[in-house]
Amino acid sequence: MAQADTPQPSTFLITGGAGFIGSHLADALLQAGHTVLVIDNLSTGSIDNIAHQLDHPNFHFARASLTDTIVLDRLASQADVIIHLAAAVGVKLIVEHPVHTIETNVMGTEMVLQAALRYQCRVLLASTSEVYGKGSKIPFSEEDDVLLGSTSKSRWAYAASKMVDEFLGLAYQREYGLPVIPFRLFNTVGPRQTGRYGMVVPRFVRQALRGEPLTVYGDGTQCRCFCHVLDVVDALVGLAFHPDAPGRVYNIGATEEISINNLARRIIALTHSRSTITHIPYSEAYAPGFEDMQRRVPDTRRIQSLTGWQPRRSLDDILQAVIAFEKKRQESEQN
Ligand code: UDP
């Protein structure tokens, strides 16, 4: 097994670098002595996530969309590695704005790959565990068949758009020799994540801190594995520098499962909240006919055997970090 060399200082372009994951990645790369360029149109990202880096000499922020080809081209021309995170994400956003989701995810990736090809940048492409769709095999492995729902259900547009991204990235590698590393993120959580687009952990924490009922969708027996965003960042940095990473897809996620009912109980206990739990039918929470997955567990042997990566932080570490962050946010909102 080839080992990654000690990383030389490199220039990274992070698309979506003002988002939840991108901003943590920028912090880690700057900390390690790299230069970070960010392109973000702030549609779902926030300037608050990167405000503390704006004066850093090795940090540059461009507020622009990926369709702004002149800006993208200039940034790509300076980059060694592009980490493409910009996308329409979050089930709620996808169900409510399917045209935006499909266009952003497919066209944005095409723009990034074309720019990367001009300057021979290594590319890490963000994909999602949603591509495993309704598969019931536990755990999900990268080479598994996928089972998506009908095109009449807009939830599946997200998975399909990300599959096109993966196909396109792998095709650029095969046909043009561009080093491309698609990765499938499972549920990723931590400070700075917003609950606005449906993500369960920040929503429950905010509800608990306000003493409001925690809104569990469906019967709450569905399970998820939540991975700390800083563990995800470590995984991405490992892939970015590993010489043998390109040309294959990698799962990134935690493997400790918890039901959404138990997650709600754990958050109520950790926040010492008097909140209750209320169950809301999926049809009310999302849209009639909405299909959820009962379980979603990653098989992470591929990345582990390549880079040695595995998550180091527990669910309680994650929840404590999110609670501390949300408490601070609520305090500053009140002042
Ligand atoms: N969920 C919930 N209440 C909420 C938000 C989400 O019960 O306020 C459920 C959602 O239906 C899913 C799980 O929590 O079963 C995880 O949802 P999230 O949107 O965080 O990620 P997903 O796994 O759907 O991508």
Side-chain angles (χ1 to χ4, degrees), residues 328-335:
K328 242 181 161 173
R329 177 141 74 182
Q330 289 192 359
E331 276 163 22
S332 70
E333 277 168 8
Q334 280 156 11
N335 295 329

Side-chain angles (χ1 to χ4, degrees), residues 8 24 30 34 45 48 79 86 128 141 167 179 198 226 235 258 279-280:
Q8 296 292 315
H24 284 289
L30 288 168
H34 302 292
D48 294 345
T128 166
S141 308
F167 276 127
F226 295 99
I258 186 167
H279 289 85
I280 297 177

Side-chain angles (χ1 to χ4, degrees), residues 167-235:
F167 276 127
L168 197 61
L170 294 171
Y172 266 71
Q173 165 127 8
R174 252 176 241 136
E175 261 188 82
Y176 306 134
L178 187 73
V180 179
I181 309 166
F183 54 92
R184 294 179 181 159
L185 293 179
F186 284 65
N187 294 71
T188 303
V189 288
R192 300 184 196 158
Q193 187 173 37
T194 160
R196 220 176 310 145
Y197 309 106
M199 278 73 171
V200 67
V201 169
R203 285 173 63 83
F204 281 4
V205 169
R206 291 182 132 211
Q207 289 165 341
L209 291 176
R210 291 202 189 106
E212 295 166 1
L214 273 61
T215 52
V216 171
Y217 300 158
D219 66 5
T221 60
Q222 71 272 28
C223 292
R224 293 293 185 272
C225 303
F226 295 99
C227 191
H228 197 299
V229 63
L230 296 182
D231 281 328
V232 168
V233 163
D234 288 344

